[in-house]
Amino acid sequence: MISRRFLLAAAAGLPMAGGARAGTVTDLDGQAVTLGNAERLLSLGGDVTEILVELGFGEKIVAVDTTSLYPPALVDPLPKVGYLRSLGAEAILTLRPSAIIAGGDAGPPNVLRQLRAAGVPVVHTESSRSPEDLLHKVRLIGQALDAGAAAQALDDRLSKALAAAEAEVKAQPRHPRCLFVLSNQGGRLMAAGRDTAADALIGLAGGVNAFGAAEGYKILTPEAAASIAPEVVVVMEHTVAGPGGAEALLAQPALAVTPAGRDKRLAVLEGGYHLQFTPRLPEAILDFSRRIRA
Ligand code: HEM
């Protein structure tokens, strides 16, 4: 159905604010995607959700995943389709989205294929592991939604703020050795090596990833933990939400012997804010940089 907003804008020859018209883009999977109707958007990933809101499409979002936590006034009342990395097609299709914008970590891949096979256009954007990835994602989503001018304005604002954050971090004399722990199951610690959002954030904040010799997420043995000697342990809130909380994590034999364990230095992050590389990334970098130096 053609919306009243579309008819009015078309009649007036105006670009459509929060537009219903959309362009064609080539996405992460090499798919040429045209979002014919962007009236019922389903957003997968906190980064994507925040970009959609910044571009003026917040009102068009009909459902989100559970990593979309901001802005709470918009996302809290919306239906949730599950965790970004373990989605199911049925829960999504029930919500009748006219288009899906998915962050790079959305999956598993067969679910995105099922959604496309069901006739729903899916724009799969890349994972953000750098400020450039974030800016590229802003432009891609802007193009897909025919909101190039809004995307350009956001790109300009973010580029300036990111450059300012980079300059502030560069002025810091210390480079704390950080260890990001994703999970702690019965003392088995899973830690972030290279090519993870955590590794990228540590670098952007002027720290050093103590586990940077590893690739991706790997089990951290007690011997390895002792030898890499982290000064700060970094976790997401939900990782230390269980019994004993942060203290229990630092008391793990593997961590207790490290400088971070001895000095009880732990930085607790909001996964959605600090690690999803949203348009709030410049503030997230500065906030994290202050915490690892505190
Ligand atoms: C049901 C609970 C959850 C499970 C089982 C889970 C599982 C995982 C796993 C397995 C990874 C590693 C993926 C990889 O190997 O690349 C991961 C990464 C991540 N998760 Fe979750 N997660 C959960 C909840 C959350 C929540 C609530 C958030 C944030 C709002 C979140 C944010 C992230 C982020 C940002 C990463 C990427 C970290 C990086 O690349 O450094 N997760 N999660």
Side-chain angles (χ1 to χ4, degrees), residues 237-246:
E237 303 175 308
H238 62 268
T239 309
V240 287

Side-chain angles (χ1 to χ4, degrees), residues 82-135:
Y83 181 55
L84 183 67
R85 294 175 175 80
S86 51
L87 299 162
E90 208 178 306
I92 292 176
L93 292 172
T94 311
L95 293 157
R96 298 181 294 105
S98 60
I100 296 171
I101 318 285
D105 298 327
N110 69 314
V111 169
L112 299 187
R113 282 195 290 274
Q114 283 167 7
L115 295 168
R116 287 187 172 120
V120 185
V122 179
V123 177
H124 192 195
T125 67
E126 72 248 73
S127 304
S128 294
R129 297 286 183 263
S130 69
E132 292 70 33
D133 288 345
L134 167 63
L135 296 175

Side-chain angles (χ1 to χ4, degrees), residues 67 69 83 85 129 182 196-198 217 236 238 271-272 275-276:
T67 71
L69 298 165
Y83 181 55
R85 294 175 175 80
R129 297 286 183 263
L182 177 69
T196 59
Y217 280 95
M236 286 190 266
H238 62 268
L275 286 173
Q276 291 199 114

